[in-house]
């Protein structure tokens, strides 16, 4: 940030930190709702879900963690020229880590059915849609002028 006055740089960091705090609050609310839904599905009455229960809980933790990390970097790069590069980089990393997560489970736990990926991809879509919605919301906010 060469040539940028100290006050403007501080305000920019403060604004990014506020956006990330907002992001964290909303992702915690989303995860709480998903925890309630998974708790209901984990009940013995939902027999179809039982074989995927532990993997789905692990996937929930996985997506919560990687969405927090990618949200951190993406929220700090909003309205900067390299935002698209950061966004695409975090998306590629998320795809790669997701693939690794599935492969480790597939070869490490040898599930009876390949249907275990259905709840995984549902969580992937939910968290990715949430992250994209939040980033679009941040991008539409007017910049503070000093």
């Amino acid at each position: 940030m060469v040539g940028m006055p100290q006050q403007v740089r501080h305000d920019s960091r403060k604004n990014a930190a506020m956006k990330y705090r907002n992001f964290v609050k909303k992702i915690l609310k989303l995860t709480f709702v998903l925890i309630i839904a998974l708790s209901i599905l984990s009940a013995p009455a939902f027999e179809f879900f039982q074989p995927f229960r532990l993997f789905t809980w692990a996937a929930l933790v996985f997506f919560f963690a990687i969405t927090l990390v990618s949200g951190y970097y993406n929220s700090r790069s909003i309205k900067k020229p390299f935002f698209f590069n950061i966004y695409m980089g975090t998306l590629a990393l998320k795809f790669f880590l997701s693939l690794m997560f599935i492969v480790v489970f597939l070869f490490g736990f040898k599930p009876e059915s390949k249907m275990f990926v259905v709840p995984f991809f549902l969580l992937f879509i939910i968290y990715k849609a949430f992250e994209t919605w939040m980033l679009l919301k941040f991008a539409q906010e007017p910049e503070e002028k000093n």
Side-chain angles (χ1 to χ4, degrees):
M1 295 196 191
V2 175
M4 186 179 279
Q6 186 70 20
Q7 182 63 34
V8 172
R9 197 173 328 148
H10 175 70
D11 289 345
S12 175
R13 287 184 188 148
K14 185 177 175 185
N15 191 23
M18 287 176 55
K19 284 182 181 181
Y20 185 66
R21 270 195 296 276
N22 186 23
F23 181 85
V24 170
K25 286 178 187 177
K26 292 218 181 339
I27 197 172
L28 285 171
K29 289 177 185 176
L30 170 68
T31 303
F32 181 71
V33 169
L34 290 172
I35 286 171
I36 291 171
L38 287 180
S39 295
I40 292 168
L41 287 173
S42 292
F46 296 98
E47 289 181 30
F48 66 91
F49 185 72
Q50 295 308 310
F52 320 122
R53 186 175 40 124
L54 295 177
F55 178 74
T56 305
W57 282 104
L60 178 72
V61 172
F62 171 76
F63 284 121
F64 174 72
I66 64 172
T67 303
L68 275 178
V69 171
S70 65
Y72 174 80
Y73 289 106
N74 287 325
S75 67
R76 295 199 179 289
S77 65
I78 292 273
K79 298 190 179 183
K80 293 188 177 163
F82 52 85
F83 169 73
F84 184 74
N85 296 339
I86 298 289
Y87 179 77
M88 293 308 287
T90 59
L91 180 61
L93 183 62
K94 197 177 279 193
F95 276 131
F96 177 73
L97 292 174
S98 295
L99 181 63
M100 295 309 301
F101 190 83
I102 290 171
V103 167
V104 165
F105 183 78
L106 188 61
F107 291 113
F109 294 93
K110 309 247 188 278
E112 294 176 19
S113 168
K114 304 296 186 234
M115 293 298 291
F116 74 93
V117 297
V118 172
F120 180 85
F121 283 116
L122 286 173
L123 288 172
F124 181 89
I125 290 167
I126 290 168
Y127 274 100
K128 194 65 204 160
F130 166 80
E131 183 180 16
T132 303
W133 173 69
M134 287 299 295
L135 292 173
L136 287 172
K137 190 174 165 183
F138 291 157
Q140 292 172 354
E141 291 176 359
E143 284 190 59
E144 294 180 11
K145 302 282 183 191
N146 290 333

